[in-house]
Amino acid sequence: MTEFAFTCTGVRADRYAAGPTLVFRLRITASDNARVHALALRCQIRIEPARRGYAPAEADGLADLFGERSRWGSTLQPVQFAQVSHMVPSFTGETETDLAVPCTYDMDVAATRYFNALEAGEVPLLMLFSGTAFTGAGGFRVEPVPWDREAAFRMPVKVWQEMVEQHFPGCGWIRLPRDTMDALLAFRSRRAHPSWEAAVRALLAEAGTPDPQPVHALDRALLPRATGRTAR
């Protein structure tokens, strides 16, 4: 059977995607310089939070996911980030391909809350591969890609921040039940607030909460830049 090895060599935020999307650059190597007609690849990506350190402010932001820092020895477990499929075209021996991973800024998703809590540094990721390979130099045969194929990668936090800023510049996103949205809309209409932001700030003022300040101030000048070998 053909042995496959996978390496992630870079990542960038896709500035032209309709929604938030990260593009990982993969290098795929087939043993014995094998001829691969096509590769139907499945990739599961997990965050491994125990493989980095956290500043006090980051630890506070992660409290709802992992609890107090004193408990992290048992609670700092892997977090599911994404699961995607990808077709790799024909190659012999080795090739590189872009793996597009759609993302969300839904704060009800654990991976999003994790990314949002980080201020700098890198995100330790583990990419787990499986799938089906169509191989053969003089013929055609079908082989599985074993489930034990994996690749570790440390993604710069800046890449996630740039991606979010491209699609939600200076903003966040929150999902509310329909009845809550209806009540908020009624409040906004009664008070004649010109925007949702004005309505929420009025509610915060009535609750005695200070005006929120931005947490992650991203330099807009960095937005056109890409990170890793995937820069175009």
Side-chain angles (χ1 to χ4, degrees):
M1 289 182 59
T2 305
E3 293 289 332
F4 291 94
F6 298 88
T7 306
C8 184
T9 61
V11 63
R12 63 183 170 88
D14 188 347
R15 72 187 71 173
Y16 302 112
T21 302
L22 292 173
V23 181
F24 292 86
R25 188 70 173 172
L26 297 181
R27 181 187 299 127
I28 305 171
T29 304
S31 61
D32 300 324
N33 205 38
R35 170 69 170 166
V36 179
H37 300 289
L39 184 59
L41 195 63
R42 293 187 296 273
C43 179
Q44 179 185 147
I45 306 177
R46 294 192 319 213
I47 301 167
E48 303 221 304
R51 294 184 176 271
R52 63 158 282 168
Y54 300 92
E58 294 174 328
D60 291 342
L62 294 171
D64 62 335
L65 286 179
F66 305 121
E68 298 299 321
R69 193 189 284 267
S70 60
R71 300 176 52 211
W72 283 8
S74 59
T75 63
L76 217 60
Q77 300 298 319
V79 176
Q80 177 75 9
F81 173 33
Q83 186 162 331
V84 294
S85 298
H86 180 62
M87 285 298 302
V88 181
S90 174
F91 68 94
T92 299
E94 184 175 282
T95 189
E96 292 198 2
T97 185
D98 284 339
L99 180 69
V101 178
C103 302
T104 177
Y105 198 38
D106 185 347
M107 295 302 290
D108 287 339
V109 177
T112 303
R113 295 208 304 276
Y114 176 85
F115 288 129
N116 188 67
L118 303 183
E119 297 178 342
E122 297 173 326
V123 181
L125 300 177
L126 183 64
M127 310 178 79
L128 306 170
F129 299 97
S130 62
T132 304
F134 303 90
T135 64
F140 187 87
R141 71 175 178 269
V142 179
E143 303 182 38
V145 177
W147 279 95
D148 63 353
R149 304 296 90 177
E150 61 184 42
F153 181 68
R154 300 186 73 87
M155 181 182 76
V157 173
K158 185 189 299 184
V159 176
W160 172 271
Q161 294 172 347
E162 290 177 0
M163 179 195 69
V164 171
E165 191 70 10
Q166 286 171 7
H167 292 274
F168 306 99
C171 300
W173 189 91
I174 187 170
R175 181 176 61 185
L176 295 173
R178 185 168 300 165
D179 56 347
T180 304
M181 282 296 300
D182 291 343
L184 187 58
L185 177 60
F187 172 83
R188 175 181 171 179
S189 299
R190 286 197 307 271
R191 302 292 185 89
H193 291 299
S195 66
W196 290 110
E197 179 185 2
V200 172
R201 285 186 179 276
L203 288 171
L204 290 173
E206 290 183 9
T209 304
D211 276 354
Q213 298 298 319
V215 177
H216 298 299
L218 184 64
D219 184 358
R220 300 297 181 85
L222 295 177
L223 292 183
R225 298 173 58 187
T227 300
R229 292 182 54 186
T230 56
R232 296 293 184 239

